[in-house]
Amino acid sequence: MQREITKKLGLIVLAWMFVFSAVVAQDSQVLGTFDLAADAAVTDGSDLFLYGLMIQDETDTDDADEGGNILVKKGKIVIINLGPVVNHEGVDYAPTVSADGKTLYYVSNRPGSKLSADDDLTHDFWKTTKKHRLDTVFFAPMNIDTTTDLGDLGVNTPYNEGAASIAADKQSLYFTACNKSDGIGNCDLYKSTIQGDRWSRPVNLGRNVNSANWDSQPSISPDQSRIYFVSTREGPNSDGELIFENFDIWYADWDFEMEEWQKAKNLEQLNTKGSEASPFIAADGVTLFFASNGHTPNIGGLDFYVTRLDPDTDKWSAPENLGEPINTEMDEQFISLPASGDIIYFSSTREDLAGFQGNLDVFMAFVPTFFRTVLVKGTVTDECSDEFIPAKITVNNPVTGKVFNDSLTMTHQEFELIVSNQDFGNPKDSIKSIDLQVTAENEKYGKKSKVVRVEKPKKVEDKSQAGSVSEEIFVKITLGQKPVLGAEMDEADYIKRAKEYNTSLDGYRGLVMEQVQTWDLYPLLNYVFFDLGSSTLPDRYILFDSPDQTAYFTDTTIAGGTLDKYYHVLNIFAYRMTKNPDSKIEIVGTNDGTTPEEKVAGLSKARAELVYNYFRDIWKIDESRLKLTVRGKPKHPSNLKDSLGIRENRRVEILCKDWEIMKPVFDRDPKTFPQPEQMTYTMKNGIEDAIVDKRRIEIKRGDAMWKVLTDVGITDKTKIWDWTNDRGKYPKDEVAYTAQLIVTTKSGAECASDPITIPVMQVSTEKKKVEATADSTQERYNLILFPFDSPNAGPLNERIMRDYVYDRILPSSVVEVIGHTDVVGLYEHNLKLSNRRSNTVEKGIKKKTKGKYAVLTKRGVGEEEPLFDNMLPEGRFYNRTVQVIIKTPVADWEEIEKKQEAGVEVD
């Protein structure tokens, strides 16, 4: 009698799992029958080793491994209850295991499940994992969907969820849900996919799969081309009434072209007038497990059976009962196996194993392998950093023509493909191996294929030889390349000239440091500037502390360029005053006359007195030669409508009519110039841009680091560089540059490009004479202090042109006139002003030289090509300039010098 009650109870449980709230929850008598295992023995540990052990052996039934390490032994079936980590005092059922056997999904109403409207724990999907397929120790389970934003449209809801099937790719979950607002019947089949770290909103599989009746217990094939499930809809064994005593197995095929499920069909070959339930399609795609009470032999209630599909005939073999000890007099339901086929997970109400926790528990059995498969797994990594990169995966089977596709993402980094016997084609062909072509493709990295040979698993005829695990093949495809660094540069002017005499230089690309005879004129700005409200000169001006320090100063030995010389302006004027004892100067103190800090009484005077005292006390200039004048705003102020212009009026002006005091500083020393002035590095990460954290270019000369360029961005394609080190110095020898692009990933890994080499050549004036290489002088003259907003040159600039420029232009000279401005004022206005100033100078040259020059060009660049820092007042003044650049063959000047020495008049 008790056996009959238990068998009937199993059928009721099978239905109750999915329609609890809709059908059975109102029947308190039924609910009360689930306390069958309330007094089951439970051990004290939360760490699971063996909770209930059953071993079946034809010769030996009590030699269990006392150490607790359960492995499949020859001829044995080992069954364990998964104990209090996986099971609890309620119901735990419907296990579905991933292909690799490490992740187990199941249904449970344990604490942590969502609550119904009546505050009862509902049936939710939970997940537990373990380190190895054969482990019996599981980590604590977690609810797979605790979100609430989707309400009853999520995976886990305030209603009951039922059996699930995890696809081989572990990215798709097919499951049963009841009472959803988008349902077709009272329980339907749905699909959800992993999106980041959560499951997406489930999608109803539609009317071709679901019916107005009860549809549940799905099992998806490895390639997701077919879904098996259980339904009470009208069919050969059912009139369509909602009766939970004659379930049938149905299936539907996926139409890949139409991207929809075809109309479901009844699996008539296997269904009976009894109940067929919980189908599970194995990893080989042809082995089907299911529970039934309508097939014989039957041990009791719902038993597990196995059948195999012949792909050639589309016929299923006669179902075989899995036998004891898997099947019992109780109901067994919901079976699942990993791809290896050597472990069975199932649900049962059996109480014959110690550790039974509740009304329904999940069990694990180590069994002889029922089928053989090979699990092909793989990932895609960057060739340099060995880090994962997203890619599309295509696996082609040359024997069957089947194509497997997958998309690897940052949250799905491995593909899994189950290769079964049917993938080796017609058995009559006796194909022993297949060469799968695995292709990975990334939009930025390109495409790469690898051939993977898979040997056909040997058939096991003898039961005693069963139980060995299937082979697992891991494939890693590397895409991409190392970072790539290149160098682009114009041909050096020296090379253009010299290769006519030395053809070995043709094609030379590198730095040329050419020594050139130079004439450089540095006009002196006769102002010094002060900070807001201050009467102390800024530190950038160079002042002596005592008269003794002036003893060795001259105005021709100041190193550096324009600003280096300008910051000695007080010393230059004072030095020239000592050389010209009759000269006098006027020192004029001013303020901006605008800001409150500048309208302080005595500020202009204090500024003038600072300069006055410096001349008098440090340079010992007699007071009779110094005149001190105090003003508010300067007589000729800078732009009072512009903040930068206002700052320029905080100054002291040094006025003198003596040319010897105010004339420019002039240098005639040879200088070495880089050719070309700049070069361009080209950069390609090679690795995926998304994993790049930072980059740098390391530049060495020999073994010593020369420069590290860090401002190269993450995805910039080019970086312009001026050849100098951190101190702004150029090479003085011919040691070549070597450079590498170093890419650092977000994980800290570094990838380096192959080094590139850039040669360095030093060319002295002596070398050019020996080579008889055409050489030119290079002369640069700057004209400043144009009247405000005026193109007129003014007397100072006119004298510079007369004394320095006109006579330096020969018929063979190439002359370039460039007009510049600062950034004060409107851009278009400044551009026009620079053109007008360059026109003035061009006209003067044409008139004075009578057109006797080789080339004369002029242009105005406005504020586009600043020569100095526009944030400094002196920088802005020096940017208000016209440059005159003269290049004349050295040989022509040498010829003139010879004529002069011979007393020949030179025109």
Side-chain angles (χ1 to χ4, degrees), residues 17 153 206 246 281 318 339 506 512 552 603 739 839:
M17 293 170 187
L153 297 178
N246 58 345
I281 187 66
D506 194 8
V512 175
Y552 300 103
L603 180 60
N839 286 340

Side-chain angles (χ1 to χ4, degrees), residues 651-706:
R651 67 197 190 206
V652 167
E653 302 176 346
I654 301 168
L655 307 179
C656 181
K657 296 181 180 179
D658 191 337
W659 172 253
E660 292 300 320
I661 304 299
M662 306 304 292
K663 69 181 181 180
V665 173
F666 193 71
D667 282 350
R668 292 186 58 179
D669 295 330
K671 290 185 176 62
T672 302
F673 296 96
Q675 298 176 10
E677 293 184 356
Q678 297 175 326
M679 57 83 62
T680 300
Y681 284 114
T682 59
M683 299 172 289
K684 182 179 178 182
N685 286 336
I687 66 175
E688 176 69 35
D689 291 344
I691 66 174
V692 177
D693 181 55
K694 56 186 176 181
R695 304 187 300 184
R696 68 184 185 274
I697 298 176
E698 291 186 352
I699 307 165
K700 295 181 179 180
R701 299 186 67 240
D703 295 328
M705 189 66 69
W706 177 259

Side-chain angles (χ1 to χ4, degrees), residues 87-331:
N87 297 312
H88 82 297
E89 63 182 8
V91 291
D92 303 282
Y93 62 94
T96 176
V97 68
S98 61
D100 61 5
K102 299 177 184 179
T103 304
L104 182 70
Y105 294 84
Y106 64 104
V107 180
S108 178
N109 66 346
R110 66 184 53 233
S113 296
K114 292 186 176 179
L115 298 176
S116 69
D118 298 328
D119 288 334
D120 294 323
L121 289 166
T122 64
H123 296 201
D124 278 358
F125 293 117
W126 290 72
K127 178 181 77 171
T128 182
T129 60
K130 54 182 178 177
K131 291 183 177 180
H132 189 272
R133 186 187 77 257
L134 297 174
D135 284 347
T136 59
V137 178
F138 287 84
F139 295 105
M142 59 177 289
N143 189 308
I144 72 167
D145 178 25
T146 59
T147 60
T148 59
D149 55 321
L150 294 178
D152 71 340
L153 297 178
V155 175
N156 286 329
T157 71
Y159 300 103
N160 289 322
E161 280 68 53
S165 176
I166 186 71
D169 64 3
K170 293 192 288 188
Q171 302 300 295
S172 302
L173 189 73
Y174 296 79
F175 65 96
T176 308
C178 303
N179 305 319
K180 280 185 178 288
S181 58
D182 62 347
I184 296 172
N186 52 23
C187 291
D188 284 356
L189 301 183
Y190 290 80
K191 176 185 178 182
S192 177
T193 56
I194 278 289
Q195 293 181 351
D197 58 354
R198 62 178 290 179
W199 290 97
S200 68
R201 174 176 172 171
V203 176
N204 191 299
L205 297 193
R207 295 186 180 275
N208 281 349
V209 176
N210 293 311
S211 69
N213 283 48
W214 178 80
D215 302 291
S216 184
Q217 305 175 10
S219 179
I220 190 70
S221 64
D223 61 358
Q224 300 186 59
S225 65
R226 174 174 287 188
I227 188 168
Y228 296 86
F229 61 99
V230 172
S231 180
T232 60
R233 70 185 67 188
E234 184 177 357
N237 303 302
S238 171
D239 59 7
E241 295 294 327
L242 190 63
I243 299 175
F244 296 102
E245 292 185 357
N246 58 345
F247 310 117
D248 270 2
I249 298 174
W250 294 69
Y251 69 92
D253 291 321
W254 177 255
D255 188 326
F256 285 93
E257 291 186 2
M258 300 298 294
E259 295 188 344
E260 63 181 13
W261 290 103
Q262 296 178 0
K263 193 170 183 62
K265 297 178 182 179
N266 188 284
L267 193 57
E268 295 186 50
Q269 294 181 51
L270 301 180
N271 291 320
T272 68
K273 294 297 182 180
S275 289
E276 278 67 47
S278 57
F280 172 76
I281 187 66
D284 63 357
V286 296
T287 303
L288 183 71
F289 295 86
F290 63 97
S292 175
N293 60 10
H295 284 280
T296 56
N298 178 266
I299 296 173
L302 291 168
D303 280 0
F304 286 130
Y305 292 83
V306 62
T307 179
R308 293 172 182 81
L309 176 67
D310 185 338
D312 293 330
T313 64
D314 202 30
K315 300 293 184 182
W316 293 90
S317 64
E320 300 175 49
N321 191 301
L322 296 193
E324 298 180 304
I326 298 288
N327 290 320
T328 67
E329 293 184 353
M330 310 294 286
D331 282 314

Side-chain angles (χ1 to χ4, degrees), residues 264-533:
K265 297 178 182 179
N266 188 284
L267 193 57
E268 295 186 50
Q269 294 181 51
L270 301 180
N271 291 320
T272 68
K273 294 297 182 180
S275 289
E276 278 67 47
S278 57
F280 172 76
I281 187 66
D284 63 357
V286 296
T287 303
L288 183 71
F289 295 86
F290 63 97
S292 175
N293 60 10
H295 284 280
T296 56
N298 178 266
I299 296 173
L302 291 168
D303 280 0
F304 286 130
Y305 292 83
V306 62
T307 179
R308 293 172 182 81
L309 176 67
D310 185 338
D312 293 330
T313 64
D314 202 30
K315 300 293 184 182
W316 293 90
S317 64
E320 300 175 49
N321 191 301
L322 296 193
E324 298 180 304
I326 298 288
N327 290 320
T328 67
E329 293 184 353
M330 310 294 286
D331 282 314
E332 277 69 47
Q333 308 129 66
F334 304 109
I335 190 169
S336 182
L337 291 83
S340 58
D342 54 357
I343 299 173
I344 290 178
Y345 294 89
F346 64 96
S347 305
S348 178
T349 59
R350 68 192 298 165
E351 302 177 32
D352 57 339
L353 299 180
F356 195 78
Q357 301 297 310
N359 296 325
L360 190 62
D361 278 3
V362 178
F363 293 81
M364 176 180 178
F366 296 87
V367 297
T369 302
F370 287 95
F371 53 89
R372 290 298 184 92
T373 62
V374 176
L375 182 60
V376 179
K377 304 171 62 176
T379 191
V380 181
T381 61
D382 171 72
E383 182 177 346
C384 182
S385 66
D386 201 36
E387 293 190 13
F388 168 80
I389 55 173
K392 291 182 179 179
I393 298 296
T394 304
V395 182
N396 286 281
N397 184 330
V399 174
T400 64
K402 290 174 61 177
V403 178
F404 167 84
N405 294 289
D406 198 2
S407 292
L408 302 187
T409 65
M410 297 305 293
T411 56
H412 171 49
Q413 298 187 3
E414 281 189 4
F415 70 87
E416 292 185 358
L417 172 64
I418 298 168
V419 180
S420 61
N421 285 349
Q422 65 178 347
D423 291 308
F424 292 82
N426 192 324
K428 297 178 182 178
D429 296 334
S430 301
I431 297 175
K432 302 300 182 183
S433 65
I434 52 175
D435 290 332
L436 298 178
Q437 185 179 49
V438 184
T439 302
E441 183 175 8
N442 178 285
E443 183 178 348
K444 295 183 179 179
Y445 282 74
K447 182 187 296 186
K448 187 175 181 180
S449 297
K450 178 179 284 189
V451 174
V452 178
R453 172 154 292 189
V454 180
E455 302 291 341
K456 187 175 184 178
K458 295 180 179 179
K459 292 182 179 180
V460 179
E461 303 280 344
D462 188 345
K463 179 179 177 181
S464 66
Q465 297 177 6
S468 59
V469 299
S470 298
E471 182 183 5
E472 186 173 299
I473 299 175
F474 189 82
V475 183
K476 183 167 78 171
I477 296 180
T478 58
L479 293 179
Q481 58 182 7
K482 290 182 178 180
V484 179
L485 184 67
E488 296 178 353
M489 66 207 73
D490 294 334
E491 187 177 39
D493 290 339
Y494 168 76
I495 299 298
K496 292 178 183 177
R497 304 191 311 268
K499 67 184 182 181
E500 296 182 11
Y501 307 94
N502 183 356
T503 56
S504 65
L505 295 176
D506 194 8
Y508 176 91
R509 284 295 186 273
L511 172 64
V512 175
M513 297 299 297
E514 182 181 11
Q515 191 178 52
V516 179
Q517 293 288 347
T518 61
W519 289 44
D520 287 320
L521 180 141
Y522 302 98
L524 290 175
L525 180 62
N526 59 321
Y527 303 152
V528 290
F529 299 94
F530 292 79
D531 294 333
L532 178 65

